[in-house]
């Protein structure tokens, strides 16, 4: 049999795939009616792309649109699209050094570059902060013998989930009015506990008092959202104290503008941490560290982004998002028809109409402008400044206009 060209470089097909990336054309095209069961005969690659483009590209939210500011999911820079294509072509497995010599170096390199900003000395990549949190808590259990996990009621559900998986008792503490963990409510003896502090809570962007680091047998900081502020000279102080943690989780697919799935778990003493969560196996040339087995080359995308932008380029984009958030927060706080939740200081804006239905107000806003958040049993609207291309004046005008229409 001659070689199967499906596995070879098809420049024409890939050129068509790149053309189709221009999303403006797709929203008008009809969806493909999907076969009810697995088709016996294939369409061929280019035809499959043509049929799928209206759905895959046309129906996804445009996270880089000028009024997209509802979620922690940023638009991604085009250099990551290119590297994702390269990665798919190579299909390297970081579990096997022989298949992925450079990809392993790339991951080690980004971890080595980023860990010092958090006072950590290494770590590894994970497919998200849920897995990064699980990895950190697993390390705390096996290295320090912790029996329970303490976190505030505003901590991410993945902390509770990790405690359950690991068979650790989960103890939830109350938060103050700004949704920060209240140190006064911590038990005096934390010698068998892992304390989880959140830097940038998912609902309101609050930062727990990071000076609680060191009170427990292990302190983990869930900096999934706000961690990247460590790269900004202007905003680094928000994370002051992070360097005294035992482990830190940061999602790169949030404020480091990476496609999913990309996150880091970092440790203050990486050698000891990795030794406690490392398994050798008969077919493995290097031990398998952490939760994942086969492990893709997300680090290569992050490396490319960091090389392309440098720290300053990355920080400038995060700072621009922070400026946008400040402008929006100030506008909402000054608006007589709107009520604003305490500013968490990490680019998450939470508000609601002072005297109208929150659901109706949200339905009247452009789609993608606000998500809803349930806080202490009440519904609020939430904007997250993860999109550097958000047009904040246009967003403000849309909110203002919605207020005016609601008032009549
Ligand atoms: C998003 C988030 C997580 C979970 O991270 P994933 O990357 O979605 O798995 C954990 N903690 C906080 C504070 C988050 O905002």
């Amino acid at each position: 049999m001659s070689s199967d060209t499906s596995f070879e470089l098809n420049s024409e097909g890939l050129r068509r795939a790149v053309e189709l990336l221009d999303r403006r054309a797709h929203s008008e095209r009809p969806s493909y009616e999907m076969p009810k069961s697995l088709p016996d005969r294939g369409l061929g690659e280019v035809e499959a792309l043509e049929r799928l483009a209206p759905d895959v590209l046309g129906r996804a939210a445009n996270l880089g649109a000028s009024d997209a500011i509802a979620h922690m999911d940023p638009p991604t820079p085009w250099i990551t699209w290119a590297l994702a294509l390269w990665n798919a072509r190579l299909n390297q497995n970081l579990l096997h050094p022989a298949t992925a010599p450079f990809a392993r170096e790339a991951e080690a390199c980004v971890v080595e570059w980023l860990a010092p900003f958090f006072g950590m000395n290494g770590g590894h990549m994970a497919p998200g902060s849920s897995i990064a949190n699980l990895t950190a808590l697993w390390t705390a259990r096996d290295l320090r013998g912790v029996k329970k996990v303490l976190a505030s009621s505003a901590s991410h559900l993945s902390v509770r989930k990790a405690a359950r998986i690991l068979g650790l008792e989960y103890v939830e503490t109350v938060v103050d009015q700004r949704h920060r963990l209240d140190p006064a409510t911590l038990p005096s003896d934390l010698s068998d506990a892992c304390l989880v502090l959140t830097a940038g809570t998912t609902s309101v962007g609050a930062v727990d008092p990071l000076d609680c680091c060191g009170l427990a047998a292990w302190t983990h900081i869930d900096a999934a959202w706000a961690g990247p502020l460590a790269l900004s000279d202007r905003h680094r102080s928000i994370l002051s104290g992070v360097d005294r943690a035992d482990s830190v989780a940061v999602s790169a697919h949030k404020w480091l503008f990476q496609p999913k799935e990309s996150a880091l778990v970092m440790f203050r003493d990486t050698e000891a941490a990795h030794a406690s969560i490392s398994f050798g196996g008969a077919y493995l040339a290097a031990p398998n560290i952490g939760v994942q087995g086969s492990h893709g080359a997300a680090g290569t995308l992050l490396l490319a982004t960091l090389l392309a932008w440098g720290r300053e380029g990355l920080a400038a984009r995060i700072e621009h998002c922070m400026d946008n958030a400040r402008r929006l927060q100030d506008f909402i706080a000054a608006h007589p028809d709107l009520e604003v939740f305490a500013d968490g200081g990490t680019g998450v804006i939470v508000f609601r109409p002072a005297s109208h239905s929150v659901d109706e107000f949200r339905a009247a806003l452009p789609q993608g402008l606000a998500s809803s958040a349930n806080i202490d049993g009440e519904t609020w609207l939430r904007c997250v400044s993860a999109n550097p291309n958000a047009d904040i004046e246009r967003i403000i005008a849309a909110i203002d206009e919605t207020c005016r229409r609601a008032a009549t």
Side-chain angles (χ1 to χ4, degrees):
M1 185 186 161
S2 62
S3 85
D4 184 339
T5 55
S6 284
F7 296 91
E8 288 171 8
L9 178 63
N10 182 328
S11 303
E12 214 172 304
L14 288 169
R15 200 169 305 124
R16 184 64 190 138
V18 170
E19 272 168 23
L20 289 166
L21 272 177
D22 184 347
R23 308 177 32 155
R24 281 166 299 191
H26 302 301
S27 48
E28 264 87 73
R29 290 175 60 192
S31 284
Y32 172 56
E33 196 172 332
M34 209 55 75
K36 292 281 174 279
S37 59
L38 175 65
D40 282 328
R41 298 190 56 147
L43 298 169
E45 283 86 351
V46 172
E47 191 54 28
L49 288 177
E50 298 286 353
R51 304 265 178 108
L52 284 173
D55 287 309
V56 174
L57 292 154
R59 284 170 57 195
N62 182 357
L63 300 171
S66 60
D67 54 6
I69 189 168
H71 298 282
M72 286 182 169
D73 306 288
T76 50
W78 70 263
I79 192 169
T80 63
W81 313 348
L83 268 293
L85 183 66
W86 291 2
N87 271 355
R89 191 248 191 278
L90 299 170
N91 197 26
Q92 298 179 87
N93 188 347
L94 275 70
L95 193 54
H96 300 301
T99 77
F102 180 73
R104 281 174 66 99
E105 282 171 36
E107 176 171 322
C109 180
V110 295
V111 171
E112 196 174 306
W113 285 356
L114 294 173
F117 287 92
F118 304 90
M120 302 291 111
N121 77 355
H124 61 270
M125 292 191 72
S129 284
S130 299
I131 303 293
N133 287 341
L134 172 64
T135 310
L137 269 49
W138 173 23
T139 310
R141 188 193 69 179
D142 285 11
L143 192 59
R144 294 277 163 81
V146 308
K147 302 275 187 288
K148 58 186 173 210
V149 176
L150 260 95
S152 91
S153 56
S155 68
H156 191 263
L157 63 93
S158 59
V159 177
R160 219 178 333 138
K161 201 197 292 181
R164 168 90 71 89
I165 293 170
L166 294 164
L168 297 168
E169 185 191 351
Y170 180 69
V171 182
E172 201 166 273
T173 71
V174 296
V175 286
D176 67 13
Q177 283 195 327
R178 307 171 71 96
H179 263 222
R180 296 170 304 191
L181 178 138
D182 181 356
T185 66
L186 289 176
S188 54
D189 181 10
L190 293 168
S191 60
D192 65 347
C194 172
L195 176 63
V196 178
L197 303 170
T198 308
T201 59
T202 318
S203 296
V204 308
V207 179
D208 285 339
L210 303 186
D211 55 4
C212 291
C213 276
L215 294 180
W218 184 279
T219 309
H220 173 64
I221 298 191
D222 176 2
W225 166 246
L229 292 173
L231 296 161
S232 158
D233 293 333
R234 263 170 59 197
H235 299 296
R236 183 170 302 135
S237 62
I238 290 171
L239 295 166
S240 154
V242 68
D243 52 317
R244 290 175 51 237
D246 296 288
S247 55
V248 180
V250 176
S251 283
H253 56 217
K254 290 179 175 174
W255 236 349
L256 292 176
F257 308 103
Q258 295 301 293
K260 291 170 192 66
E261 296 151 343
S262 186
L264 295 100
V265 57
M266 296 169 284
F267 301 97
R268 192 148 53 120
D269 181 351
T270 305
E271 204 181 324
H274 277 179
S276 73
I277 54 168
S278 167
F279 289 77
Y283 64 96
L284 289 179
N288 179 200
I289 296 167
V291 175
Q292 274 187 294
S294 291
H295 170 104
T300 313
L301 280 64
L302 184 51
L303 178 66
T305 309
L306 296 174
L307 265 182
W309 291 354
R311 184 194 61 81
E312 288 178 6
L314 182 54
R317 288 165 172 96
I318 296 168
E319 287 163 8
H320 179 61
C321 290
M322 286 287 277
D323 290 344
N324 278 348
R326 159 78 27 238
R327 170 88 181 94
L328 182 56
Q329 179 87 20
D330 290 349
F331 162 78
I332 293 171
H335 201 293
D337 299 342
L338 298 172
E339 178 187 356
V340 70
F341 196 87
D343 183 2
T346 63
V348 181
I349 302 106
V350 176
F351 67 103
R352 62 184 175 188
S355 53
H356 285 95
S357 144
V358 180
D359 290 333
E360 279 172 29
F361 193 88
R362 185 166 89 93
L365 287 170
Q367 228 184 5
L369 196 150
S371 49
S372 63
N374 187 300
I375 298 171
D376 306 328
E378 293 178 20
T379 308
W380 291 75
L381 299 174
R382 168 174 166 272
C383 294
V384 182
S385 193
N387 172 17
N389 281 339
D391 179 344
I392 208 67
E393 297 310 323
R394 191 174 148 188
I395 287 165
I396 284 174
I399 295 175
D400 199 32
E401 171 63 21
T402 306
C403 285
R404 225 167 317 181
R405 270 185 283 129
T408 58

